[in-house]
Amino acid sequence: MSAQKDRWVSSLVFLLFCASSIPKCGSASLQLEPSPQHYFSGLEAGKASLAFFTPSVSPGAQPFLEQVESSAEALQDYGVSVVKVNCPKEDASKYCGKENALRKAFLFRGNRLIREFPTDALFDVNSIVANVLFALLFNEVKYIETLADLENIENALKGKSNVVFAYVPATGTAEHRAVMEAAFVYGTIHQFVLTTEAALLKAISHDDPDVSSAWLLFCHCQRAPDPAQPCRRTALAQPLTLLNIHRHLKLMGAPLVTEVAEDPEKISTVHLQLGLPLVFILSQKETQEADRRTAEFVAWQLLGKAGVALLSRDLVELNVLQRSNVALKTPDEGMPIQYLVLEDTDEVITLVEDKNKVKQIQKDEQEEEEEEDEDEKENNNQDIQDDQVVEAVSRDKKRELPLEQILVLTEENFHSSLSKAAQAVVLFYASWEAVSLAVLRSYSEVGALLKGTPGVLLSRVNCWDWPGLCSQENVTQFPTMRIYKEGQQSVTYGGMWGTEEMSSFILLSQVPCPLKLATMDEAEGYLRGEFPPELSSHHHPSLLGVFSTATSKAREAFEEAGNILSGHVRMGMYFEDDALVLSQKYSVSPPALLLSRSGGRSVEGIALSNHSVQDMVQMIRYELLDIFPEITVPNLPQYLQLGKPFLILFSAGDISEMESKEMLKLAKGRPQQAFVACWLNLKKTPVGHGILRTHFSTTPSLPLLLWVNLHAGGQVFKFPSEQSITEMNILSWLEKLQAGLEIPSSTLSEEDWKPPLPAYDFLQMMESSMPELSPHPGDTRAQQPPQSPAGDTARGDTATQEEPSQESTAEEFGSPGRNLRGTAPRLAARDKQGKRHSEL
């Protein structure tokens, strides 16, 4: 229907309402006819008239005739004349007979009788107008008795027109009159149906409705082109009056979501004109489609209560938008727009339904801003923060990261973008969380470092905007980096978050692991350090598995271990006919591992006795560790995982050649590798000063050799400072330790080293009722996500009733859930941001 026609209908209903509300002066609308012959001779074709045939003198009819006269004024607005026909005493015809005198009323259209009414059904003005219009609109207003009748009408109109369903406890009431008057105007636009059956009202309501009150539902069948899709139903929340029905139908005909790209102060919609608020969902380019679906979800929940508009941040330059994710415009003249930060769509709905909510949110935000200002002042006065990550992110929060080389992924383009790249790198992060932002900075440096690398796509997913996608990919901690390759399971990065470490993982993942070598020359070149171009700039030990045709089981375990270690280890594999010759050159027999360090200058042969994949993975990780490593922050976890005591030499710089030689001899000759011999340079790793202060009240003189067993008792033994650091002196000292003849210098606390608070499942916090998502058919890149342990949906279990509720249908047909995306923080942003990362 055109806007011009819509305005015409609106004006007509308004005029009809006014006409029925304002008393008329003096001009009597009741027509008097002296005889039936005179009446029938004056009837005009197509015009309706309601006739009462009465004797010329009938004192008992006076109260009834007063109601008739009053109804004549109302019916005149609908083109119906009301006529009182005097019956002569001698007239005993059908209309003037004694049995009909003031016992029946007759509705004519032209000369044709449409309906007879018993006068006891026409007891007041409402009953007269309602029954007359009901008879005149018999073909336009369907009377139904069962749920099947309603469903048949809905199914016939799906994709074509909407249905207005009205329940009245009885015909002839004021509510019945209001429905019929609305049908007189809107009957050509919507299909009206009417019932007085209480059982039918209960059948279409999930709650127990009050059958003593009238109900009106707008059935959105025009928005249900699929025959299997039920029509949504929106109830009129106000009493059934003509004005309320007109207002409701006007709202139902308005656009569900209005997309705007201008100052909200200048926006006016039908909702504001009808005295309802307008909610703006603030969006951005990266989340536009999802925000549109979220806005539609909110609009369905608030239908008839408020309007919803989608406002793009990219097209409107208002500084206030950068912090907010929702705005509220009220119809009150002169009231400013309220810009708010809300957690989810439930808060938006509460915001509209509870006017006090706006004041409370504004008060909370004001208090939060004051706390942040106080914290910032306090932090500025602190030399050292309790969390260096938060401090760094806070210090550089205004610095814009160069993320041009990194593609933004959403629910819409995730799978399609991954399918176009030979190797897709995805960083899953949360835009409000300090560690994620710190890693994002390193990731941007990786993007600059790997710019132009063929076949590598660097991308990112903000799990704060796309919790459903992150849940589907089974991402439950931030940040997480994964490598996706066509036809293979994704590989999760488990190393340090430095630029060098991440770029090394990405480049190593480009090369098959293990790399299959075809000739003896290729195998020996691999051991000498002749690698594919992708690996030429990265200096890693090289591991070569050598297998004969008889050792296929070990070879399969080695290949599976390579899949597990992909991106972390450089592995090759040789299993040609001359594999025995190659292995014997290094004094081993297949199956065996050849470990090359320092570009092939040192190749170590290792026999493979265990064919278990997990054992092989552990063995490879262990063999790749340095014999006498320098302990640093990045590599410490690898050595702690061994669960062995540490024999650690602390130094104020590089250790001397003599000390290095003696410690290396000790490390190579240690019995069954019972401990980790290592050293720590305090100049390169200043955290060592804190370690020594934990062991001793003051930092002792260096170099200092300590035995520390973190995994059993936590005792710390100090090598005698008067003795020189030689293999013989250290072994003698270790024998005394084992015999219990040495006294520990200190003992570490037995308290378990766990986070102060339990780990957070961030996705569960963000969207505790996220619907369980199934993977896209045919997608071989992503890991199959496990079934949600909660098994819940966006609003609970799928509705099992015959007709889904308004709430459940909002989930089923186009609603993504209830997240407010965009750059503004949500759930934990207000409640958790004040916490330091160490608390998490």
Side-chain angles (χ1 to χ4, degrees), residues 732-764:
S732 174
W733 177 60
L734 292 179
E735 289 178 359
K736 292 180 181 179
L737 287 181
Q738 293 178 352
L741 302 178
E742 290 288 327
I743 299 175
S745 302
S746 62
T747 302
L748 300 179
S749 171
E750 295 183 0
E751 183 180 356
D752 199 1
W753 291 3
K754 290 182 177 180
L757 294 175
Y760 287 100
D761 186 338
F762 294 106
L763 287 175
Q764 188 69 18

PDB file of all heavy atoms in Angstrom, residues 732-764:
ATOM      1  N   SER A 732      80.383 -34.522  43.081  1.00  0.00           N
ATOM      2  CA  SER A 732      80.615 -34.856  44.494  1.00  0.00           C
ATOM      3  C   SER A 732      79.577 -34.185  45.373  1.00  0.00           C
ATOM      4  O   SER A 732      79.041 -34.790  46.313  1.00  0.00           O
ATOM      5  CB  SER A 732      82.029 -34.402  44.894  1.00  0.00           C
ATOM      6  OG  SER A 732      82.231 -34.590  46.276  1.00  0.00           O
ATOM      7  N   TRP A 733      79.278 -32.925  45.040  1.00  0.00           N
ATOM      8  CA  TRP A 733      78.262 -32.191  45.816  1.00  0.00           C
ATOM      9  C   TRP A 733      76.883 -32.815  45.645  1.00  0.00           C
ATOM     10  O   TRP A 733      76.111 -32.941  46.604  1.00  0.00           O
ATOM     11  CB  TRP A 733      78.271 -30.730  45.356  1.00  0.00           C
ATOM     12  CG  TRP A 733      77.247 -29.842  46.005  1.00  0.00           C
ATOM     13  CD1 TRP A 733      77.141 -29.578  47.329  1.00  0.00           C
ATOM     14  CD2 TRP A 733      76.197 -29.137  45.341  1.00  0.00           C
ATOM     15  NE1 TRP A 733      76.079 -28.717  47.553  1.00  0.00           N
ATOM     16  CE2 TRP A 733      75.493 -28.433  46.339  1.00  0.00           C
ATOM     17  CE3 TRP A 733      75.808 -29.002  44.023  1.00  0.00           C
ATOM     18  CZ2 TRP A 733      74.396 -27.623  46.043  1.00  0.00           C
ATOM     19  CZ3 TRP A 733      74.730 -28.193  43.729  1.00  0.00           C
ATOM     20  CH2 TRP A 733      74.026 -27.516  44.725  1.00  0.00           C
ATOM     21  N   LEU A 734      76.557 -33.264  44.434  1.00  0.00           N
ATOM     22  CA  LEU A 734      75.258 -33.884  44.186  1.00  0.00           C
ATOM     23  C   LEU A 734      75.123 -35.200  44.945  1.00  0.00           C
ATOM     24  O   LEU A 734      74.025 -35.554  45.389  1.00  0.00           O
ATOM     25  CB  LEU A 734      75.053 -34.108  42.686  1.00  0.00           C
ATOM     26  CG  LEU A 734      74.897 -32.847  41.836  1.00  0.00           C
ATOM     27  CD1 LEU A 734      74.737 -33.223  40.369  1.00  0.00           C
ATOM     28  CD2 LEU A 734      73.701 -32.024  42.311  1.00  0.00           C
ATOM     29  N   GLU A 735      76.236 -35.943  45.102  1.00  0.00           N
ATOM     30  CA  GLU A 735      76.187 -37.185  45.880  1.00  0.00           C
ATOM     31  C   GLU A 735      75.845 -36.895  47.340  1.00  0.00           C
ATOM     32  O   GLU A 735      75.078 -37.630  47.974  1.00  0.00           O
ATOM     33  CB  GLU A 735      77.528 -37.906  45.788  1.00  0.00           C
ATOM     34  CG  GLU A 735      77.793 -38.519  44.421  1.00  0.00           C
ATOM     35  CD  GLU A 735      79.158 -39.181  44.337  1.00  0.00           C
ATOM     36  OE1 GLU A 735      79.882 -39.134  45.361  1.00  0.00           O
ATOM     37  OE2 GLU A 735      79.492 -39.721  43.261  1.00  0.00           O
ATOM     38  N   LYS A 736      76.397 -35.792  47.862  1.00  0.00           N
ATOM     39  CA  LYS A 736      76.071 -35.420  49.247  1.00  0.00           C
ATOM     40  C   LYS A 736      74.592 -35.022  49.375  1.00  0.00           C
ATOM     41  O   LYS A 736      73.956 -35.309  50.393  1.00  0.00           O
ATOM     42  CB  LYS A 736      76.966 -34.258  49.697  1.00  0.00           C
ATOM     43  CG  LYS A 736      78.430 -34.621  49.834  1.00  0.00           C
ATOM     44  CD  LYS A 736      79.241 -33.408  50.290  1.00  0.00           C
ATOM     45  CE  LYS A 736      80.724 -33.753  50.399  1.00  0.00           C
ATOM     46  NZ  LYS A 736      81.524 -32.570  50.816  1.00  0.00           N
ATOM     47  N   LEU A 737      74.084 -34.335  48.336  1.00  0.00           N
ATOM     48  CA  LEU A 737      72.663 -33.980  48.367  1.00  0.00           C
ATOM     49  C   LEU A 737      71.788 -35.216  48.457  1.00  0.00           C
ATOM     50  O   LEU A 737      70.840 -35.278  49.247  1.00  0.00           O
ATOM     51  CB  LEU A 737      72.286 -33.183  47.108  1.00  0.00           C
ATOM     52  CG  LEU A 737      72.773 -31.738  46.997  1.00  0.00           C
ATOM     53  CD1 LEU A 737      72.272 -31.126  45.688  1.00  0.00           C
ATOM     54  CD2 LEU A 737      72.254 -30.912  48.159  1.00  0.00           C
ATOM     55  N   GLN A 738      72.104 -36.210  47.621  1.00  0.00           N
ATOM     56  CA  GLN A 738      71.292 -37.421  47.591  1.00  0.00           C
ATOM     57  C   GLN A 738      71.415 -38.199  48.899  1.00  0.00           C
ATOM     58  O   GLN A 738      70.476 -38.894  49.304  1.00  0.00           O
ATOM     59  CB  GLN A 738      71.718 -38.289  46.411  1.00  0.00           C
ATOM     60  CG  GLN A 738      71.392 -37.669  45.062  1.00  0.00           C
ATOM     61  CD  GLN A 738      71.878 -38.524  43.913  1.00  0.00           C
ATOM     62  OE1 GLN A 738      72.583 -39.518  44.113  1.00  0.00           O
ATOM     63  NE2 GLN A 738      71.519 -38.125  42.696  1.00  0.00           N
ATOM     64  N   ALA A 739      72.569 -38.077  49.553  1.00  0.00           N
ATOM     65  CA  ALA A 739      72.764 -38.783  50.820  1.00  0.00           C
ATOM     66  C   ALA A 739      72.173 -38.022  52.000  1.00  0.00           C
ATOM     67  O   ALA A 739      72.183 -38.518  53.127  1.00  0.00           O
ATOM     68  CB  ALA A 739      74.261 -39.021  51.049  1.00  0.00           C
ATOM     69  N   GLY A 740      71.658 -36.807  51.758  1.00  0.00           N
ATOM     70  CA  GLY A 740      71.053 -36.027  52.832  1.00  0.00           C
ATOM     71  C   GLY A 740      72.046 -35.343  53.722  1.00  0.00           C
ATOM     72  O   GLY A 740      71.722 -34.996  54.872  1.00  0.00           O
ATOM     73  N   LEU A 741      73.281 -35.115  53.211  1.00  0.00           N
ATOM     74  CA  LEU A 741      74.334 -34.509  54.025  1.00  0.00           C
ATOM     75  C   LEU A 741      74.419 -32.996  53.866  1.00  0.00           C
ATOM     76  O   LEU A 741      75.216 -32.354  54.545  1.00  0.00           O
ATOM     77  CB  LEU A 741      75.691 -35.136  53.655  1.00  0.00           C
ATOM     78  CG  LEU A 741      75.784 -36.656  53.821  1.00  0.00           C
ATOM     79  CD1 LEU A 741      77.150 -37.175  53.373  1.00  0.00           C
ATOM     80  CD2 LEU A 741      75.540 -37.043  55.280  1.00  0.00           C
ATOM     81  N   GLU A 742      73.623 -32.438  52.962  1.00  0.00           N
ATOM     82  CA  GLU A 742      73.644 -31.000  52.736  1.00  0.00           C
ATOM     83  C   GLU A 742      72.388 -30.355  53.334  1.00  0.00           C
ATOM     84  O   GLU A 742      71.310 -30.944  53.328  1.00  0.00           O
ATOM     85  CB  GLU A 742      73.707 -30.688  51.234  1.00  0.00           C
ATOM     86  CG  GLU A 742      75.034 -31.024  50.577  1.00  0.00           C
ATOM     87  CD  GLU A 742      76.141 -30.061  50.981  1.00  0.00           C
ATOM     88  OE1 GLU A 742      75.852 -28.864  51.204  1.00  0.00           O
ATOM     89  OE2 GLU A 742      77.312 -30.495  51.074  1.00  0.00           O
ATOM     90  N   ILE A 743      72.557 -29.151  53.853  1.00  0.00           N
ATOM     91  CA  ILE A 743      71.441 -28.409  54.452  1.00  0.00           C
ATOM     92  C   ILE A 743      70.926 -27.402  53.419  1.00  0.00           C
ATOM     93  O   ILE A 743      71.727 -26.638  52.842  1.00  0.00           O
ATOM     94  CB  ILE A 743      71.902 -27.661  55.715  1.00  0.00           C
ATOM     95  CG1 ILE A 743      72.416 -28.672  56.755  1.00  0.00           C
ATOM     96  CG2 ILE A 743      70.745 -26.823  56.293  1.00  0.00           C
ATOM     97  CD1 ILE A 743      73.003 -28.017  57.986  1.00  0.00           C
ATOM     98  N   PRO A 744      69.603 -27.382  53.158  1.00  0.00           N
ATOM     99  CA  PRO A 744      69.079 -26.433  52.157  1.00  0.00           C
ATOM    100  C   PRO A 744      69.238 -24.980  52.610  1.00  0.00           C
ATOM    101  O   PRO A 744      69.114 -24.680  53.802  1.00  0.00           O
ATOM    102  CB  PRO A 744      67.606 -26.824  52.011  1.00  0.00           C
ATOM    103  CG  PRO A 744      67.263 -27.504  53.290  1.00  0.00           C
ATOM    104  CD  PRO A 744      68.519 -28.215  53.745  1.00  0.00           C
ATOM    105  N   SER A 745      69.524 -24.113  51.648  1.00  0.00           N
ATOM    106  CA  SER A 745      69.644 -22.685  51.956  1.00  0.00           C
ATOM    107  C   SER A 745      68.275 -22.061  52.219  1.00  0.00           C
ATOM    108  O   SER A 745      68.159 -21.126  53.002  1.00  0.00           O
ATOM    109  CB  SER A 745      70.321 -21.955  50.792  1.00  0.00           C
ATOM    110  OG  SER A 745      71.592 -22.517  50.534  1.00  0.00           O
ATOM    111  N   SER A 746      67.250 -22.578  51.545  1.00  0.00           N
ATOM    112  CA  SER A 746      65.889 -22.098  51.749  1.00  0.00           C
ATOM    113  C   SER A 746      64.921 -23.145  51.210  1.00  0.00           C
ATOM    114  O   SER A 746      65.317 -24.075  50.505  1.00  0.00           O
ATOM    115  CB  SER A 746      65.664 -20.745  51.054  1.00  0.00           C
ATOM    116  OG  SER A 746      65.841 -20.881  49.658  1.00  0.00           O
ATOM    117  N   THR A 747      63.663 -22.986  51.554  1.00  0.00           N
ATOM    118  CA  THR A 747      62.616 -23.890  51.072  1.00  0.00           C
ATOM    119  C   THR A 747      61.461 -23.051  50.548  1.00  0.00           C
ATOM    120  O   THR A 747      60.960 -22.153  51.258  1.00  0.00           O
ATOM    121  CB  THR A 747      62.116 -24.820  52.194  1.00  0.00           C
ATOM    122  OG1 THR A 747      63.228 -25.570  52.715  1.00  0.00           O
ATOM    123  CG2 THR A 747      61.060 -25.779  51.663  1.00  0.00           C
ATOM    124  N   LEU A 748      61.084 -23.346  49.332  1.00  0.00           N
ATOM    125  CA  LEU A 748      59.985 -22.595  48.727  1.00  0.00           C
ATOM    126  C   LEU A 748      58.661 -23.008  49.346  1.00  0.00           C
ATOM    127  O   LEU A 748      58.518 -24.115  49.870  1.00  0.00           O
ATOM    128  CB  LEU A 748      59.946 -22.830  47.219  1.00  0.00           C
ATOM    129  CG  LEU A 748      61.204 -22.415  46.444  1.00  0.00           C
ATOM    130  CD1 LEU A 748      61.031 -22.732  44.966  1.00  0.00           C
ATOM    131  CD2 LEU A 748      61.467 -20.924  46.627  1.00  0.00           C
ATOM    132  N   SER A 749      57.703 -22.126  49.274  1.00  0.00           N
ATOM    133  CA  SER A 749      56.382 -22.396  49.826  1.00  0.00           C
ATOM    134  C   SER A 749      55.747 -23.580  49.106  1.00  0.00           C
ATOM    135  O   SER A 749      55.916 -23.769  47.904  1.00  0.00           O
ATOM    136  CB  SER A 749      55.496 -21.149  49.675  1.00  0.00           C
ATOM    137  OG  SER A 749      54.157 -21.467  50.007  1.00  0.00           O
ATOM    138  N   GLU A 750      55.014 -24.394  49.883  1.00  0.00           N
ATOM    139  CA  GLU A 750      54.316 -25.540  49.300  1.00  0.00           C
ATOM    140  C   GLU A 750      52.991 -25.141  48.650  1.00  0.00           C
ATOM    141  O   GLU A 750      52.290 -25.985  48.094  1.00  0.00           O
ATOM    142  CB  GLU A 750      54.052 -26.599  50.370  1.00  0.00           C
ATOM    143  CG  GLU A 750      55.327 -27.222  50.930  1.00  0.00           C
ATOM    144  CD  GLU A 750      55.031 -28.310  51.934  1.00  0.00           C
ATOM    145  OE1 GLU A 750      53.834 -28.569  52.178  1.00  0.00           O
ATOM    146  OE2 GLU A 750      55.982 -28.915  52.467  1.00  0.00           O
ATOM    147  N   GLU A 751      52.663 -23.871  48.719  1.00  0.00           N
ATOM    148  CA  GLU A 751      51.401 -23.412  48.129  1.00  0.00           C
ATOM    149  C   GLU A 751      51.397 -23.673  46.632  1.00  0.00           C
ATOM    150  O   GLU A 751      52.370 -23.405  45.925  1.00  0.00           O
ATOM    151  CB  GLU A 751      51.218 -21.919  48.388  1.00  0.00           C
ATOM    152  CG  GLU A 751      49.899 -21.371  47.869  1.00  0.00           C
ATOM    153  CD  GLU A 751      49.766 -19.882  48.152  1.00  0.00           C
ATOM    154  OE1 GLU A 751      50.669 -19.330  48.821  1.00  0.00           O
ATOM    155  OE2 GLU A 751      48.775 -19.287  47.715  1.00  0.00           O
ATOM    156  N   ASP A 752      50.282 -24.232  46.169  1.00  0.00           N
ATOM    157  CA  ASP A 752      50.160 -24.557  44.744  1.00  0.00           C
ATOM    158  C   ASP A 752      50.165 -23.281  43.922  1.00  0.00           C
ATOM    159  O   ASP A 752      49.465 -22.311  44.249  1.00  0.00           O
ATOM    160  CB  ASP A 752      48.864 -25.335  44.510  1.00  0.00           C
ATOM    161  CG  ASP A 752      48.895 -26.096  43.196  1.00  0.00           C
ATOM    162  OD1 ASP A 752      49.926 -26.021  42.517  1.00  0.00           O
ATOM    163  OD2 ASP A 752      47.890 -26.743  42.871  1.00  0.00           O
ATOM    164  N   TRP A 753      50.924 -23.258  42.849  1.00  0.00           N
ATOM    165  CA  TRP A 753      51.019 -22.069  41.999  1.00  0.00           C
ATOM    166  C   TRP A 753      49.866 -22.067  41.009  1.00  0.00           C
ATOM    167  O   TRP A 753      49.984 -22.523  39.883  1.00  0.00           O
ATOM    168  CB  TRP A 753      52.355 -22.055  41.258  1.00  0.00           C
ATOM    169  CG  TRP A 753      53.530 -21.834  42.159  1.00  0.00           C
ATOM    170  CD1 TRP A 753      53.509 -21.719  43.511  1.00  0.00           C
ATOM    171  CD2 TRP A 753      54.900 -21.718  41.758  1.00  0.00           C
ATOM    172  NE1 TRP A 753      54.771 -21.544  44.002  1.00  0.00           N
ATOM    173  CE2 TRP A 753      55.656 -21.535  42.949  1.00  0.00           C
ATOM    174  CE3 TRP A 753      55.568 -21.749  40.544  1.00  0.00           C
ATOM    175  CZ2 TRP A 753      57.037 -21.383  42.931  1.00  0.00           C
ATOM    176  CZ3 TRP A 753      56.931 -21.592  40.531  1.00  0.00           C
ATOM    177  CH2 TRP A 753      57.666 -21.406  41.708  1.00  0.00           C
ATOM    178  N   LYS A 754      48.733 -21.571  41.462  1.00  0.00           N
ATOM    179  CA  LYS A 754      47.552 -21.473  40.602  1.00  0.00           C
ATOM    180  C   LYS A 754      47.122 -20.016  40.512  1.00  0.00           C
ATOM    181  O   LYS A 754      47.500 -19.193  41.336  1.00  0.00           O
ATOM    182  CB  LYS A 754      46.392 -22.315  41.172  1.00  0.00           C
ATOM    183  CG  LYS A 754      46.612 -23.813  41.081  1.00  0.00           C
ATOM    184  CD  LYS A 754      45.398 -24.553  41.619  1.00  0.00           C
ATOM    185  CE  LYS A 754      45.580 -26.062  41.473  1.00  0.00           C
ATOM    186  NZ  LYS A 754      44.402 -26.797  41.993  1.00  0.00           N
ATOM    187  N   PRO A 755      46.310 -19.692  39.514  1.00  0.00           N
ATOM    188  CA  PRO A 755      45.778 -18.325  39.458  1.00  0.00           C
ATOM    189  C   PRO A 755      44.971 -18.024  40.716  1.00  0.00           C
ATOM    190  O   PRO A 755      44.337 -18.912  41.279  1.00  0.00           O
ATOM    191  CB  PRO A 755      44.871 -18.340  38.218  1.00  0.00           C
ATOM    192  CG  PRO A 755      45.359 -19.480  37.403  1.00  0.00           C
ATOM    193  CD  PRO A 755      45.887 -20.499  38.361  1.00  0.00           C
ATOM    194  N   PRO A 756      45.015 -16.769  41.189  1.00  0.00           N
ATOM    195  CA  PRO A 756      44.257 -16.423  42.399  1.00  0.00           C
ATOM    196  C   PRO A 756      42.766 -16.699  42.271  1.00  0.00           C
ATOM    197  O   PRO A 756      42.103 -16.992  43.249  1.00  0.00           O
ATOM    198  CB  PRO A 756      44.514 -14.918  42.547  1.00  0.00           C
ATOM    199  CG  PRO A 756      45.773 -14.664  41.785  1.00  0.00           C
ATOM    200  CD  PRO A 756      45.786 -15.643  40.658  1.00  0.00           C
ATOM    201  N   LEU A 757      42.229 -16.588  41.053  1.00  0.00           N
ATOM    202  CA  LEU A 757      40.809 -16.877  40.809  1.00  0.00           C
ATOM    203  C   LEU A 757      40.703 -17.963  39.755  1.00  0.00           C
ATOM    204  O   LEU A 757      41.616 -18.133  38.943  1.00  0.00           O
ATOM    205  CB  LEU A 757      40.088 -15.618  40.328  1.00  0.00           C
ATOM    206  CG  LEU A 757      39.991 -14.473  41.345  1.00  0.00           C
ATOM    207  CD1 LEU A 757      39.360 -13.254  40.692  1.00  0.00           C
ATOM    208  CD2 LEU A 757      39.202 -14.882  42.563  1.00  0.00           C
ATOM    209  N   PRO A 758      39.601 -18.713  39.750  1.00  0.00           N
ATOM    210  CA  PRO A 758      39.431 -19.734  38.705  1.00  0.00           C
ATOM    211  C   PRO A 758      39.453 -19.108  37.322  1.00  0.00           C
ATOM    212  O   PRO A 758      39.107 -17.940  37.142  1.00  0.00           O
ATOM    213  CB  PRO A 758      38.042 -20.332  39.014  1.00  0.00           C
ATOM    214  CG  PRO A 758      37.770 -19.967  40.434  1.00  0.00           C
ATOM    215  CD  PRO A 758      38.472 -18.670  40.687  1.00  0.00           C
ATOM    216  N   ALA A 759      39.880 -19.888  36.360  1.00  0.00           N
ATOM    217  CA  ALA A 759      39.919 -19.387  34.983  1.00  0.00           C
ATOM    218  C   ALA A 759      38.514 -19.081  34.508  1.00  0.00           C
ATOM    219  O   ALA A 759      37.554 -19.746  34.873  1.00  0.00           O
ATOM    220  CB  ALA A 759      40.581 -20.421  34.065  1.00  0.00           C
ATOM    221  N   TYR A 760      38.398 -18.049  33.691  1.00  0.00           N
ATOM    222  CA  TYR A 760      37.100 -17.643  33.164  1.00  0.00           C
ATOM    223  C   TYR A 760      36.865 -18.253  31.789  1.00  0.00           C
ATOM    224  O   TYR A 760      37.757 -18.263  30.951  1.00  0.00           O
ATOM    225  CB  TYR A 760      37.031 -16.119  33.027  1.00  0.00           C
ATOM    226  CG  TYR A 760      36.900 -15.394  34.335  1.00  0.00           C
ATOM    227  CD1 TYR A 760      37.992 -14.810  34.946  1.00  0.00           C
ATOM    228  CD2 TYR A 760      35.668 -15.291  34.959  1.00  0.00           C
ATOM    229  CE1 TYR A 760      37.863 -14.135  36.147  1.00  0.00           C
ATOM    230  CE2 TYR A 760      35.524 -14.626  36.156  1.00  0.00           C
ATOM    231  CZ  TYR A 760      36.628 -14.046  36.746  1.00  0.00           C
ATOM    232  OH  TYR A 760      36.495 -13.389  37.922  1.00  0.00           O
ATOM    233  N   ASP A 761      35.663 -18.775  31.597  1.00  0.00           N
ATOM    234  CA  ASP A 761      35.220 -19.154  30.254  1.00  0.00           C
ATOM    235  C   ASP A 761      34.543 -17.924  29.672  1.00  0.00           C
ATOM    236  O   ASP A 761      33.379 -17.665  29.899  1.00  0.00           O
ATOM    237  CB  ASP A 761      34.247 -20.340  30.319  1.00  0.00           C
ATOM    238  CG  ASP A 761      33.877 -20.845  28.933  1.00  0.00           C
ATOM    239  OD1 ASP A 761      34.004 -20.068  27.967  1.00  0.00           O
ATOM    240  OD2 ASP A 761      33.453 -22.006  28.828  1.00  0.00           O
ATOM    241  N   PHE A 762      35.302 -17.143  28.899  1.00  0.00           N
ATOM    242  CA  PHE A 762      34.825 -15.830  28.475  1.00  0.00           C
ATOM    243  C   PHE A 762      33.588 -15.932  27.596  1.00  0.00           C
ATOM    244  O   PHE A 762      32.686 -15.108  27.689  1.00  0.00           O
ATOM    245  CB  PHE A 762      35.940 -15.088  27.730  1.00  0.00           C
ATOM    246  CG  PHE A 762      37.107 -14.739  28.606  1.00  0.00           C
ATOM    247  CD1 PHE A 762      38.299 -15.425  28.514  1.00  0.00           C
ATOM    248  CD2 PHE A 762      36.992 -13.724  29.539  1.00  0.00           C
ATOM    249  CE1 PHE A 762      39.368 -15.096  29.324  1.00  0.00           C
ATOM    250  CE2 PHE A 762      38.061 -13.387  30.350  1.00  0.00           C
ATOM    251  CZ  PHE A 762      39.253 -14.089  30.249  1.00  0.00           C
ATOM    252  N   LEU A 763      33.535 -16.921  26.723  1.00  0.00           N
ATOM    253  CA  LEU A 763      32.379 -17.036  25.841  1.00  0.00           C
ATOM    254  C   LEU A 763      31.116 -17.336  26.638  1.00  0.00           C
ATOM    255  O   LEU A 763      30.035 -16.860  26.335  1.00  0.00           O
ATOM    256  CB  LEU A 763      32.602 -18.129  24.795  1.00  0.00           C
ATOM    257  CG  LEU A 763      33.597 -17.772  23.697  1.00  0.00           C
ATOM    258  CD1 LEU A 763      33.824 -18.964  22.796  1.00  0.00           C
ATOM    259  CD2 LEU A 763      33.088 -16.598  22.879  1.00  0.00           C
ATOM    260  N   GLN A 764      31.269 -18.145  27.702  1.00  0.00           N
ATOM    261  CA  GLN A 764      30.106 -18.437  28.526  1.00  0.00           C
ATOM    262  C   GLN A 764      29.635 -17.183  29.249  1.00  0.00           C
ATOM    263  O   GLN A 764      28.444 -16.958  29.433  1.00  0.00           O
ATOM    264  CB  GLN A 764      30.468 -19.532  29.552  1.00  0.00           C
ATOM    265  CG  GLN A 764      29.293 -20.069  30.351  1.00  0.00           C
ATOM    266  CD  GLN A 764      28.341 -20.867  29.501  1.00  0.00           C
ATOM    267  OE1 GLN A 764      28.698 -21.303  28.420  1.00  0.00           O
ATOM    268  NE2 GLN A 764      27.119 -21.061  29.977  1.00  0.00           N
TER     269      GLN A 764
END
